[in-house]
Amino acid sequence: MKKTLIIFLLLATCISYLAFVADFEKPVHIEPSVQRTGDAGKGYEYVVTGDYLKSGIPYNLFLKGFGSSNDNHLKRTGDNEKISYEYTAVNAPNGELVVAPNCMQCHAQVFDGKLVMGLGNTSIDFSQNKSVGRMAGNLYTMLSLLNPKQLQASKSFLQATRTIAPDMTTEVRGVNAAGRLAALLVAHRDPQTLQWSSKPIMDIPKEVVPTDFPAWWLLKKKNAMFYNGYGRGDFSRFLMASNLLTVSDSSEAREVYGHFNDVLAYVYSLEAPKYDRPIDKELAESGQALFNDNCSKCHGTYGEKGEYPNLLIPSNIIRTDSALFKSNSSFPQFIDWFNKSWFTTGDNPARLVPFDGYIAPPLDGIWITAPYLHNGSVPTLEGVLNSKARPAYWTRDFDKPEYDYASPGWKYTAFDKPERKAYNTTLPGYGNYGHYFGDKLTATQRKAVIEYLKTL
């Protein structure tokens, strides 16, 4: 009798354990959070002309060092007319005119001669950040000797840039270091007052984990922000986080926050650009059926009755490079800082909720958002659906970029071995493995799915 009871208990324990493991390995649905409403028109004006960064490079020195821009993609007037779209001229608190980076540094890109708002800027270059830090330090020294008033206007921008830029250098051009930027900034700021500390208040991991640039127009469908889905609560709190670069204290943060409900409304108003080349309708219809059978459970369905499931996919299923979500676990001080900070106060708090995996994103406008995967390691959509087509070492022309509308994705050059300035997928954080779901499709089926994806 005792032997039977022991066997029964062992079986019950095993069944419970297997049920736990099976449940743990399933995709996790993200519940929505209440978001503030706002005016999209006001949000656009604030994005392109607002002073959410109140410190920068003195206007006269900026024009002398960077030159004026003749493109004026945003049709701005006044002091901004001669400045490239990714910068904004603002008056510092002491009245000095300075030029500060703006949201379009990362969230807009010139594509085929036209500025696409909300498209991730995959031409940005974080690989030169060590020299950027040195230049900021030199400018700080020069202004301290020659123009104290301009130094006062530029101080917060220059001190932050010279401190953090050298430690957020990526291996290649075209990937983002935004996660690293956030970690470095909070390491130098008090969580409640947000005031700057010249010495870091926490230890900072050495790794710089690259990410791709998610399109802004996808956010309206998502219940969590960022590739690992750990941005929960009020999205406008996260959108304004760039203010940490120059913010003086929490009172300034509250003033800036007062505008970001409008910014969120503007982001929600953006729509994905339509593919403007011929599409094989019959092939696309075939691809839609294949997509709905093989991809829609994670990425959703599209059209008037389309639904997006908002799923976090565990690492054991997606199997893509784990450095990004693991960086949260290796730097719990960052999570703790945020979840006890000013960003979690008030009626609309934000919070960070780590997860071992990634969001399966919506695919609206996916044809224009190359390179692919969360770290930008795959240059074409063909490579996303066929892991054998992914180059281990590759580069593309940033001076005269060419887009392959058929594949689609950036035209690139592949190498057999590591090359200087080439994307090296063997480096930690830069891996192009995982997301093998398209490998089971035939070449004809993949072509059909890609044709359908062009319609989204």
Side-chain angles (χ1 to χ4, degrees), residues 66-359:
F66 292 89
S68 59
S69 173
N70 296 321
D71 294 327
N72 198 9
H73 289 286
L74 297 171
K75 308 301 180 186
R76 296 186 295 187
T77 59
D79 295 323
N80 284 306
E81 185 176 359
K82 296 180 180 180
I83 297 176
S84 182
Y85 66 89
E86 67 263 52
Y87 297 95
T88 302
V90 299
N91 287 311
N94 70 348
E96 282 289 311
L97 186 63
V98 297
V99 177
N102 61 32
C103 293
M104 284 79 75
Q105 287 269 328
C106 294
H107 298 289
Q109 179 170 307
V110 175
F111 186 90
D112 274 356
K114 296 180 180 179
L115 183 66
V116 181
M117 294 292 286
L119 177 63
N121 180 15
T122 60
S123 64
I124 202 168
D125 192 357
F126 282 97
S127 69
Q128 304 296 319
N129 271 3
K130 289 183 178 180
S131 62
V132 170
R134 287 193 297 269
M135 287 188 290
N138 292 338
L139 183 55
Y140 188 101
T141 301
M142 183 188 78
L143 291 177
S144 66
L145 296 173
L146 300 178
N147 198 322
K149 189 175 182 181
Q150 284 192 338
L151 175 63
Q152 183 185 18
S154 303
K155 185 176 180 179
S156 59
F157 173 76
L158 294 177
Q159 72 179 359
T161 302
R162 72 176 181 177
T163 301
I164 67 174
D167 291 326
M168 51 183 293
T169 304
T170 58
E171 294 292 333
V172 294
R173 181 178 178 181
V175 292
N176 199 345
R180 178 68 169 178
L181 172 62
L184 290 167
L185 287 176
V186 305
H188 286 273
R189 292 200 177 273
D190 180 273
Q192 294 299 325
T193 67
L194 302 182
Q195 292 177 334
W196 178 264
S197 170
S198 57
K199 293 183 179 180
I201 61 176
M202 64 182 76
D203 295 329
I204 307 170
K206 295 180 180 180
E207 296 78 13
V208 180
V209 181
T211 62
D212 187 37
F213 302 76
W216 261 359
W217 55 76
L218 301 178
L219 187 57
K220 66 170 75 67
K221 288 187 173 183
K222 296 172 69 175
N223 293 342
M225 290 186 68
F226 312 115
Y227 281 107
N228 52 0
Y230 75 159
R232 310 293 177 88
D234 185 0
F235 290 170
S236 63
R237 297 263 188 176
F238 295 110
L239 290 173
M240 66 162 288
S242 61
N243 175 248
L244 285 174
L245 185 64
T246 64
V247 68
S248 57
D249 54 31
S250 57
S251 62
E252 181 189 317
R254 282 192 294 273
E255 182 270 315
V256 171
Y257 177 62
H259 296 277
F260 266 79
N261 60 316
D262 294 329
V263 173
L264 181 61
Y266 168 63
V267 171
Y268 278 177
S269 74
L270 293 172
E271 297 292 338
K274 297 298 182 183
Y275 186 84
D276 60 358
R277 304 295 171 94
I279 293 177
D280 186 326
K281 293 183 179 181
E282 185 176 345
L283 187 62
E285 288 177 1
S286 173
Q288 181 177 10
L290 288 164
F291 178 89
N292 289 339
D293 288 342
N294 294 276
C295 314
S296 63
K297 289 181 180 179
C298 292
H299 292 289
T301 55
Y302 298 81
E304 291 184 6
K305 297 182 179 180
E307 295 183 353
Y308 173 62
N310 269 288
L311 294 179
L312 284 165
I313 311 301
S315 59
N316 65 291
I317 296 177
I318 189 66
R319 298 167 65 186
T320 49
D321 193 297
S322 61
L324 179 59
F325 73 74
K326 284 185 176 179
S327 66
N328 304 143
S329 302
S330 64
F331 194 15
Q333 290 173 303
F334 172 64
I335 305 294
D336 185 62
W337 183 99
F338 191 94
N339 287 341
K340 293 179 179 179
S341 74
W342 173 86
F343 289 90
T344 64
T345 61
D347 296 331
N348 298 88
R351 67 190 186 281
L352 296 180
V353 182
F355 178 79
D356 288 352
Y358 300 107
I359 283 181

Side-chain angles (χ1 to χ4, degrees), residues 425-436:
T425 65
T426 67
L427 296 175
Y430 292 79
N432 66 357
Y433 47 85
H435 196 279
Y436 298 122

